[in-house]
Amino acid sequence: MRMKRLMLATMVAVGLVGCTEEAPKTHAERPIAIAIHGGAGTITRENMSPEREVLFRQALTYATEAGYAVLEDGGSSVDAVQAAIQMMEESPLFNAGRGAVYTYEGRHELDASIMLGATGEAGAVAGVGNIRSPIAAARAVMEQSRHVMLSGSGAEEFARYVGLEQVSNTYFNTTERYEQLQQALERLRAREATGDQIAFEQSWEPAFNMGTVGAVALDSHGNLAAGTSTGGMTAKRWGRIGDAPVIGAGTWADNESCAVSATGHGEYFIRFHVAADICSRVKYQGKSIAEAGNEVIHNVLLPAGGTGGVIIVDNKGNISMPFNTEGMYRASKSNSTELSVGIYGPEQQ
Amino acid sequence: MRMKRLMLATMVAVGLVGCTEEAPKTHAERPIAIAIHGGAGTITRENMSPEREVLFRQALTYATEAGYAVLEDGGSSVDAVQAAIQMMEESPLFNAGRGAVYTYEGRHELDASIMLGATGEAGAVAGVGNIRSPIAAARAVMEQSRHVMLSGSGAEEFARYVGLEQVSNTYFNTTERYEQLQQALERLRAREATGDQIAFEQSWEPAFNMGTVGAVALDSHGNLAAGTSTGGMTAKRWGRIGDAPVIGAGTWADNESCAVSATGHGEYFIRFHVAADICSRVKYQGKSIAEAGNEVIHNVLLPAGGTGGVIIVDNKGNISMPFNTEGMYRASKSNSTELSVGIYGPEQQ
């Protein structure tokens, strides 16, 4: 397939075909692009061992290349997004799939969503604990149900019904996340002991709220797609749903403007419908994705107290990845830019 | 209180006070407005008995007046929205609270959300079966938790924790909705019998998807608020979440533009983030709420197959209530317009 396109491109270049009219652009000439994130937060060089940094850079590289290979092969943006996200779901490094954080009760409740820029079709699952790949479940909701958002045991029943791979909830266990839960519970219980229930409930901290994975892509057919998958917030309780499965908040794609996947303190991303608002500014105000993304992340979210970041790709293959935290695990590649992998903020690059 | 303001207004008018500077506007002079809906769908004169129409008009009138009284008394838009919605939740006429539709399994799973235009604070509950007033639960999430969206048994646990009134799930039973479920199940099972599972899953129909209640208001302090409450879709399954608890889809409020509550085929309202998109067109394109609302309801939703409507109030007290179905239960009142109650489309008024 790749060989065929290369031959065609060569033939066009040397004038063997398409002499009478302008040759139609081949897939390889049209812009293709992918960007991914693996969570934003207090990620600094001081807190990161060189060995661990290598692991993150490798994982981000593999996920980006997996998605890019789909695009280069003429595949769809939604396939590229799913391929990249599934690689991160399988890695214990990221808070999504294996590696998901623990709830207050010591379980795992995962969320994911996916959206097509061509049609606005979308799917999402919230609070699922027995589906190996939540992003695959979100896609099944989009393609095989009339619904957009399914939750809890009902969503798990749907996943069984359509034949997705099931796992035990303990499949998502990792020692690191378990230790994070213990630290979170210690802090929460110290406040619970004061007897002030409202203060206790309000003691969840942004620090418990790190990590999500996501991908956005533009394919050679001109179609955008976005997807997001997460384990949510450490020690989350009461069936809390964050922004990752909320279309417009954590995920948005519209061929007329851009595709966005978000990571950060989910409550703020819902309240400011961050993903869709960035694309609205592009669509209605004619802003670039860099302008629109910076405005929302730095001028809207940050003053309100919302921390996090987004990855954005527009319908020309431009990529922007603004964040207002110390760092954000991120990577991108397009047919006009080399693979780029980043972890820290600009001052630490 | 009302008498006092009237006296003050009279004194200002005849020049007894406020002679040296322009008198500050009293509450009564500033615009206040409320609009409510009780669901959209195939509501026609032919299908409605005169007795039933009287019941709906009364219920819509009472709910509007309950909300308006809060505003007239100088109260907040969020209190007005909650007062109006709670009256509709208590009525078995509407698909929200008592009168909620049944799920596939013969239970009730209710959703609600609420949002403040001043701060973008928001709260939502999804899939709750034991809370008497879902809109009160959404407000408790907004005010007494750090979260925005809680779901299922976790949300019910939170509601108990903050002391909201609990009821048995059978509290929501009504004969009419039970009969609607039986009709829906009959149609679904006829298709299930064909053995085509995907076709079966896709056989939910817009007709199962009628009804939601909502309110939007502008108070004398210049603050907008919006809220929505629903029992969802008849025969819904798999923990389906519709647009009502999705901030940006079913509910949106922003003092810089408008407040919106939606009703209709929820999946489309999520995919096109209808409530927030209307306000984005007002904010970023300078459109009126009538223009923005008509564009989204008639030019975006309808061509995609999405049926329903919205109620909108802007920060000047203008009201717009576009819908693309045969009818929408609706009512509004402001200090510049009389109470208006509507059920059918323009051609049947």
Side-chain angles (χ1 to χ4, degrees):
Chain A
M1 177 82 172
R2 217 172 291 184
M3 183 57 79
K4 230 187 195 166
R5 276 210 314 278
L6 189 64
M7 281 176 59
L8 182 63
T10 313
M11 288 160 75
V12 171
V14 300
L16 294 177
V17 296
C19 301
T20 51
E21 304 179 83
E22 196 185 338
K25 281 193 176 179
T26 64
H27 283 161
E29 290 170 288
R30 293 190 189 129
I32 56 174
I34 185 164
I36 69 168
H37 69 76
T42 50
I43 307 161
T44 59
R45 249 184 227 291
E46 300 82 60
N47 298 333
M48 176 84 74
S49 71
E51 297 74 25
R52 200 168 156 78
E53 179 169 335
V54 168
L55 290 177
F56 272 108
R57 287 187 181 275
Q58 279 178 346
L60 290 165
T61 300
Y62 294 157
T64 307
E65 294 290 5
Y68 191 77
V70 173
L71 299 172
E72 208 176 22
D73 219 36
S76 70
S77 50
V78 68
D79 281 340
V81 161
Q82 183 174 349
I85 290 177
Q86 281 189 311
M87 286 208 66
M88 290 188 280
E89 284 180 339
E90 293 289 308
S91 163
L93 290 170
F94 304 106
N95 176 21
R98 222 174 109 65
V101 297
Y102 286 77
T103 66
Y104 188 85
E105 290 81 12
R107 282 173 44 83
H108 306 278
E109 292 176 3
L110 292 80
D111 304 327
S113 67
I114 201 160
M115 188 167 189
L116 308 185
T119 58
E121 283 169 277
V125 291
V128 295
N130 299 93
I131 303 167
R132 180 165 178 161
S133 170
I135 196 71
R139 186 165 179 182
V141 171
M142 175 171 75
E143 293 178 346
Q144 299 183 60
S145 87
R146 280 221 167 166
H147 304 306
V148 169
M149 192 171 187
L150 301 182
S151 65
S153 58
E156 290 165 1
E157 192 191 329
F158 172 77
R160 279 194 298 279
Y161 187 81
V162 297
L164 293 184
E165 186 178 348
Q166 305 289 304
V167 292
S168 142
N169 195 258
T170 58
Y171 163 81
F172 300 107
N173 287 358
T174 56
T175 309
E176 192 187 334
R177 299 299 184 194
Y178 185 75
E179 284 165 6
Q180 287 174 359
L181 173 66
Q182 302 315 312
Q183 289 164 18
L185 289 180
E186 207 173 294
R187 289 157 80 170
L188 289 172
R189 283 175 182 154
R191 284 177 217 187
E192 192 172 28
T194 65
D196 181 343
Q197 294 202 324
I198 299 303
F200 161 63
E201 151 54 12
Q202 293 187 338
S203 58
W204 267 261
E205 293 180 16
F208 301 170
N209 205 6
M210 305 229 320
T212 298
V213 308
V216 292
L218 172 70
D219 65 30
S220 58
H221 315 282
N223 290 322
L224 292 166
T228 310
S229 178
T230 188
M233 207 170 183
T234 296
K236 70 182 177 179
R237 205 178 171 187
W238 295 320
R240 178 255 189 189
I241 296 177
D243 63 318
V246 176
I247 298 301
T251 300
W252 188 255
D254 177 355
N255 275 5
E256 288 185 50
S257 51
C258 55
V260 178
S261 169
T263 173
H265 195 149
E267 277 69 13
Y268 290 89
F269 284 71
I270 297 176
R271 287 176 43 200
F272 295 100
H273 73 136
V274 166
D277 189 29
I278 291 171
C279 295
S280 289
R281 287 166 192 250
V282 170
K283 191 168 171 178
Y284 299 141
Q285 299 188 298
K287 291 192 167 137
S288 70
I289 54 170
E291 279 178 288
N294 280 325
E295 279 179 7
V296 173
I297 295 301
H298 297 291
N299 306 346
V300 177
L301 270 186
L302 198 57
T307 52
V310 290
I311 50 171
I312 320 172
V313 61
D314 71 13
N315 54 20
K316 294 169 205 73
N318 299 306
I319 291 166
S320 188
M321 302 191 277
F323 54 96
N324 62 30
T325 44
E326 284 87 343
M328 178 167 85
Y329 298 110
R330 61 200 184 277
S332 66
K333 186 172 182 177
S334 76
N335 58 351
S336 59
T337 56
E338 292 297 303
L339 173 74
S340 153
V341 180
I343 296 180
Y344 313 109
E347 64 287 352
Q348 292 211 325
Q349 284 307 337
Chain B
M1 176 86 175
R2 217 171 291 182
M3 183 56 80
K4 233 187 197 164
R5 276 211 314 278
L6 190 63
M7 278 174 62
L8 182 64
T10 313
M11 287 159 77
V12 171
V14 299
L16 293 177
V17 296
C19 301
T20 51
E21 304 177 85
E22 197 185 337
K25 280 192 177 180
T26 62
H27 284 158
E29 291 171 288
R30 292 187 190 130
I32 56 174
I34 185 164
I36 69 168
H37 69 75
T42 49
I43 307 161
T44 58
R45 250 184 226 290
E46 301 81 62
N47 298 332
M48 176 83 73
S49 71
E51 298 73 24
R52 201 169 156 78
E53 181 170 334
V54 168
L55 290 176
F56 271 109
R57 288 189 181 274
Q58 278 178 346
L60 291 164
T61 300
Y62 294 155
T64 306
E65 294 290 6
Y68 191 77
V70 172
L71 300 173
E72 209 176 21
D73 219 34
S76 70
S77 51
V78 67
D79 281 340
V81 161
Q82 183 174 346
I85 290 177
Q86 281 189 312
M87 286 208 67
M88 290 187 282
E89 284 179 340
E90 292 289 308
S91 163
L93 289 170
F94 303 107
N95 176 20
R98 222 176 110 62
V101 298
Y102 286 77
T103 66
Y104 188 84
E105 291 81 11
R107 279 175 45 83
H108 307 277
E109 293 176 3
L110 292 80
D111 306 327
S113 67
I114 201 160
M115 187 168 192
L116 307 185
T119 58
E121 284 169 277
V125 291
V128 294
N130 299 95
I131 303 168
R132 179 163 179 164
S133 171
I135 195 70
R139 186 163 178 183
V141 172
M142 174 171 75
E143 293 179 348
Q144 300 184 59
S145 87
R146 278 221 168 167
H147 304 306
V148 169
M149 193 171 185
L150 301 182
S151 65
S153 58
E156 289 165 0
E157 193 191 329
F158 172 77
R160 277 193 298 279
Y161 187 80
V162 298
L164 293 183
E165 186 178 348
Q166 306 289 304
V167 291
S168 143
N169 194 257
T170 57
Y171 163 81
F172 301 107
N173 287 357
T174 55
T175 308
E176 192 187 335
R177 300 299 183 194
Y178 185 75
E179 284 165 6
Q180 287 173 0
L181 173 67
Q182 300 318 311
Q183 288 164 18
L185 289 180
E186 204 172 298
R187 289 156 80 171
L188 289 170
R189 285 177 182 151
R191 286 177 216 186
E192 193 172 29
T194 65
D196 182 343
Q197 294 204 324
I198 299 301
F200 161 62
E201 153 53 13
Q202 292 186 337
S203 58
W204 266 263
E205 293 181 17
F208 300 172
N209 205 8
M210 302 230 320
T212 298
V213 308
V216 293
L218 172 69
D219 65 29
S220 58
H221 315 282
N223 289 322
L224 291 166
T228 310
S229 179
T230 189
M233 205 169 182
T234 297
K236 69 182 177 180
R237 205 177 171 188
W238 295 321
R240 179 255 188 186
I241 296 178
D243 64 319
V246 175
I247 298 299
T251 300
W252 188 257
D254 177 354
N255 276 4
E256 288 185 50
S257 51
C258 55
V260 178
S261 169
T263 175
H265 196 151
E267 277 68 14
Y268 289 89
F269 283 72
I270 297 176
R271 287 174 46 200
F272 295 100
H273 74 137
V274 166
D277 188 28
I278 290 172
C279 295
S280 290
R281 288 166 192 249
V282 170
K283 192 168 169 175
Y284 299 142
Q285 299 188 299
K287 291 190 167 138
S288 69
I289 54 171
E291 278 178 291
N294 279 325
E295 277 178 11
V296 173
I297 296 300
H298 297 291
N299 306 346
V300 176
L301 270 185
L302 198 58
T307 51
V310 290
I311 49 171
I312 321 171
V313 59
D314 70 14
N315 54 18
K316 294 170 205 76
N318 298 307
I319 291 165
S320 189
M321 302 192 277
F323 54 95
N324 63 29
T325 44
E326 283 88 343
M328 179 167 83
Y329 298 110
R330 61 200 184 277
S332 66
K333 185 172 180 176
S334 76
N335 58 352
S336 59
T337 57
E338 293 296 304
L339 172 75
S340 150
V341 179
I343 295 180
Y344 312 110
E347 64 286 351
Q348 292 211 325
Q349 284 309 337

